[in-house]
Amino acid sequence: MSDATRADVCAAAIADAFADDGEVFASPMGLLPMLGVRLAKLTSNPDLVISDGESLFLAGVPPLFAQADVVEGWIPFRKVFDVVAYGKRHVMMGATQVDRHGNQNISAIGDFAQPKRQLLGSRGAPGNTVNNRTSYWVPKHSARVFVERVDIVSGVGPKLAKKAGPAAARFNDIHRVVSNLGVFDVKGADDTLRLLSVHPGVTVDDVREATGFDLEVGADVPTTRAPTLEELVVIREVLDPQGLRFKEVPDAS
Amino acid sequence: MSKGPRDKQMTIDEVVGELEDGMTIGIGGWGPRRKPMALVRAILRSDLTDLTLVSWGGADVGLLVRAGKVRKLVYAFVSLDTVPLEPNFQKARQEGTIPEVVELDEGMFQTGLRAAAQRLPFLPMRAGLGSDVLVNNPWIETVTSPYDDREELVAVPALHLDVALVHLNRADRHGNATYLGPDPYFDDLFAMAADRCYVSVEQVVDTAGLTVDTPVQRLLLSRMMVSGVVETPNGAHFTTCTPDYERDEKFQRAYAAAAGGSDEDWAAFEGRFLSGDEAAYQAAVAAFGEEQA
């Protein structure tokens, strides 16, 4: 579909990250991840378990920020921690910084003892990344986000997990990083970030320039697939008729 | 005639009278949800100092660190949700005014409370391995499984509390208490991790009234976990206390603007809302609500 916007492409790329997960709890943090997860549930992976982000498992797939219709379960915070340890979960978190080795920071910028900028704190990132599949969403790809080394390791990348021992590496599974420019994994040499595809209208050089480290790039980088007609209808008519996604990814196509 | 269990009803000030400088205090709720804010405000009015706070933090942490009450803070995050970053907490961290900070993964936090509730020195957990939680808290040790797997896991230390402060929807005067909203959070764990737990509630009712219109499974606290009961209507304001009330978003925005603004902005907010007792606070909040309507 040539009339897909960049936000639509991102939503489909996020949906693809959840397509092969089977029957697990998909936990999106933020707007585009929520859109992508719900898109996957309505298309490629109807077995996904989704929540209202508070305490209810939803049987249906409501539009973004709409009230639940049918509820299929109860997932208060205490049970979220049980599911994290159980492992049947794929979380897509935000990231203030992501580094070359797929480590993520949402804690603070600068020195931990007295940060230049205090952020949220580690939240559940340390536990997520050693227990269940974890992906990241970065709406504004820049060298300030994609840094050589994160200031504070909240989310653990594969290299650090291996260094921390088998108990840390056993379930560490950093699956995808999706940004407004492309799709990445951490299967480059020495467990580094690798460019899998560039979104339509983006060049490999655009990505290189907006990345603060030497990114692994294959010989022939494909273009991220365009959303199907069905996906565009679902995004536009069902899940996000108000166009909330453009607040996060302005229309660049 | 049977005597029945004792009456534990107290005033807010009597609860604060039970606290001492240097205590480790756990605060229930979660971020900007069902926080015992009336008790937090009472601590603000007191001379208490040198406190260790243990909290999945929201404005409870922000207010107490801004007031310089906190020597040590144990947290996994501090957030107001709709305002992602808590300005008072941010300011305190960036100015280095909290002498000691312990930042944990949010699941480690639950495990630490659980260890304390079970009177264990630690519980093993995967969370924390490989992350800077262990780098920034080098006193946290790992433990090796004695079984064939030999897995080396985090030995999450017990988060033992001198006192827990929690806010629920209903209680009887003996300390049996129920939450009516979507999530119990971890208030039962806070209660069991502490030597003493004080629960504030929207309404004190007869014991029979606790299960009149809600299932028995919502009775989160048993009286054996509770030392004192305080009736504080609107006592979680400006956090949620579903279904009695939702978060006061307008007030929270005003709080965040003042906290993130100049010293004068904050002084004006304090002067208007935090300089009197709880009744004065609630009156000022009501006046603010009418202004904004």
Side-chain angles (χ1 to χ4, degrees):
Chain A
M1 291 297 298
S2 57
D3 63 342
T5 64
R6 179 67 55 78
D8 299 332
V9 170
C10 291
I14 292 167
D16 283 351
F18 291 85
D20 301 323
D21 284 340
E23 202 154 32
V24 306
F25 179 19
S27 293
M29 311 284 166
L31 193 143
L32 250 295
M34 192 194 291
L35 178 61
V37 159
R38 291 187 184 189
L39 180 63
K41 186 165 168 60
L42 286 172
T43 56
S44 56
N45 188 358
D47 281 339
L48 281 177
V49 176
I50 65 168
S51 82
D52 66 347
E54 295 274 331
S55 60
L56 304 175
F57 279 142
L58 306 181
V61 188
L64 299 182
F65 303 110
Q67 286 293 313
D69 39 9
V70 181
V71 168
E72 68 172 352
W74 186 49
I75 184 73
F77 289 121
R78 59 179 61 197
K79 291 180 62 153
V80 173
F81 296 145
D82 289 341
V83 178
V84 170
Y86 180 48
K88 289 194 179 181
R89 182 166 178 264
H90 180 177
V91 58
M92 180 173 268
M93 307 184 79
T96 306
Q97 294 177 325
V98 179
D99 69 22
R100 192 164 165 260
H101 285 102
N103 303 303
Q104 166 249 30
N105 175 19
I106 49 171
S107 171
I109 299 295
D111 182 28
F112 181 78
Q114 187 173 346
K116 280 206 282 285
R117 185 150 191 266
Q118 175 66 45
L119 305 169
L120 276 175
S122 285
R123 284 227 73 154
N128 289 339
T129 47
V130 294
N131 278 294
N132 57 224
R133 178 169 274 192
T134 302
S135 296
Y136 299 113
W137 159 245
V138 178
K140 201 163 180 230
H141 193 125
S142 80
R144 289 164 61 98
V145 177
F146 289 86
V147 294
E148 179 67 35
R149 180 77 168 85
V150 294
D151 292 348
I152 293 159
V153 178
S154 312
V156 183
K159 185 164 183 171
L160 267 184
K162 284 174 195 166
K163 196 176 149 205
R170 191 171 163 197
F171 303 117
N172 178 260
D173 177 13
I174 308 303
H175 183 58
R176 289 284 182 276
V177 179
V178 180
S179 80
N180 62 321
L181 299 185
V183 180
F184 309 80
D185 69 7
V186 287
K187 293 192 163 54
D190 195 27
D191 297 320
T192 56
L193 211 69
R194 180 175 70 163
L195 179 61
L196 294 181
S197 68
V198 288
H199 298 334
V202 178
T203 67
V204 171
D205 280 344
D206 293 337
V207 177
R208 278 206 179 100
E209 273 169 34
T211 302
F213 53 84
D214 195 13
L215 185 68
E216 180 159 321
V217 177
D220 194 16
V221 177
T223 301
T224 310
R225 74 172 179 89
T228 64
L229 180 59
E230 182 198 5
E231 285 176 317
L232 286 177
V233 170
V234 168
I235 293 168
R236 292 169 183 176
E237 308 291 329
V238 180
L239 292 175
D240 186 24
Q242 295 175 65
L244 298 171
R245 62 196 179 281
F246 302 122
K247 289 183 184 172
E248 218 167 73
V249 180
D251 191 354
S253 76
Chain B
M1 191 180 137
S2 78
K3 284 165 71 178
R6 70 200 148 93
D7 186 339
K8 295 173 188 163
Q9 288 185 91
M10 306 172 74
T11 66
I12 291 175
D13 291 330
E14 284 169 343
V15 172
V16 173
E18 299 278 309
L19 309 181
E20 291 166 26
D21 292 349
M23 271 189 167
T24 297
I25 299 179
I27 301 183
W30 172 277
R33 301 163 200 222
R34 204 158 46 68
K35 284 282 176 178
M37 296 301 287
L39 296 177
V40 168
R41 289 186 282 269
I43 295 174
L44 282 179
R45 290 193 294 275
S46 75
D47 297 330
L48 286 166
T49 183
D50 211 26
L51 301 176
T52 292
L53 273 197
V54 178
S55 176
W56 278 288
D60 54 328
V61 167
L63 283 165
L64 292 170
V65 298
R66 179 82 184 225
K69 298 285 190 190
V70 180
R71 187 188 59 77
K72 178 176 173 182
L73 176 65
V74 183
Y75 67 102
F77 63 83
V78 182
S79 176
L80 304 174
D81 278 15
T82 45
V83 181
L85 304 176
E86 215 292 349
N88 275 329
F89 165 69
Q90 246 190 324
K91 181 179 162 71
R93 286 283 286 133
Q94 289 165 195
E95 293 176 358
T97 54
I98 311 169
E100 198 178 337
V101 294
V102 175
E103 182 176 299
L104 302 174
D105 166 82
E106 62 193 32
M108 283 176 81
F109 207 99
Q110 180 195 32
T111 300
L113 290 176
R114 204 175 256 160
Q118 297 174 6
R119 301 179 297 173
L120 293 169
F122 71 90
L123 280 170
M125 199 183 193
R126 216 173 289 281
L129 293 171
S131 80
D132 278 359
V133 165
L134 297 192
V135 174
N136 293 323
N137 300 292
W139 53 279
I140 298 180
E141 303 280 354
T142 58
V143 61
T144 301
S145 164
Y147 300 107
D148 288 348
D149 56 85
R150 308 302 294 180
E151 283 201 322
E152 188 188 355
L153 299 160
V154 178
V156 181
L159 288 174
H160 178 261
L161 311 172
D162 294 312
V163 166
L165 305 176
V166 301
H167 184 84
L168 274 72
N169 301 87
R170 306 282 181 272
D172 66 14
R173 63 201 162 116
H174 313 299
N176 300 301
T178 181
Y179 71 100
L180 300 177
D183 196 317
Y185 310 119
F186 302 87
D187 290 352
D188 49 345
L189 269 185
F190 276 101
M192 289 193 289
D195 292 338
R196 283 175 285 154
C197 173
Y198 298 96
V199 55
S200 62
V201 289
E202 290 301 309
Q203 196 185 357
V204 173
V205 298
D206 288 346
T207 306
L210 288 171
T211 49
V212 163
D213 52 9
T214 197
V216 68
Q217 288 89 342
R218 286 182 182 270
L219 272 163
L220 190 66
L221 300 185
S222 151
R223 60 188 165 83
M224 66 186 167
M225 306 172 187
V226 173
S227 298
V229 178
V230 194
E231 189 174 69
T232 58
N234 214 30
H237 183 271
F238 48 93
T239 69
T240 62
C241 192
T242 314
D244 291 313
Y245 45 89
E246 294 303 317
R247 190 178 308 135
D248 187 340
E249 292 288 354
K250 283 180 181 164
F251 189 91
Q252 174 163 289
R253 279 200 297 277
Y255 164 80
S262 65
D263 288 348
E264 290 71 29
D265 294 334
W266 181 247
F269 183 90
E270 276 192 310
R272 179 169 181 190
F273 296 107
L274 300 174
S275 57
D277 62 8
E278 181 64 13
Y281 174 82
Q282 296 293 349
V285 165
F288 174 84
E290 279 164 29
E291 248 171 54
Q292 300 285 314

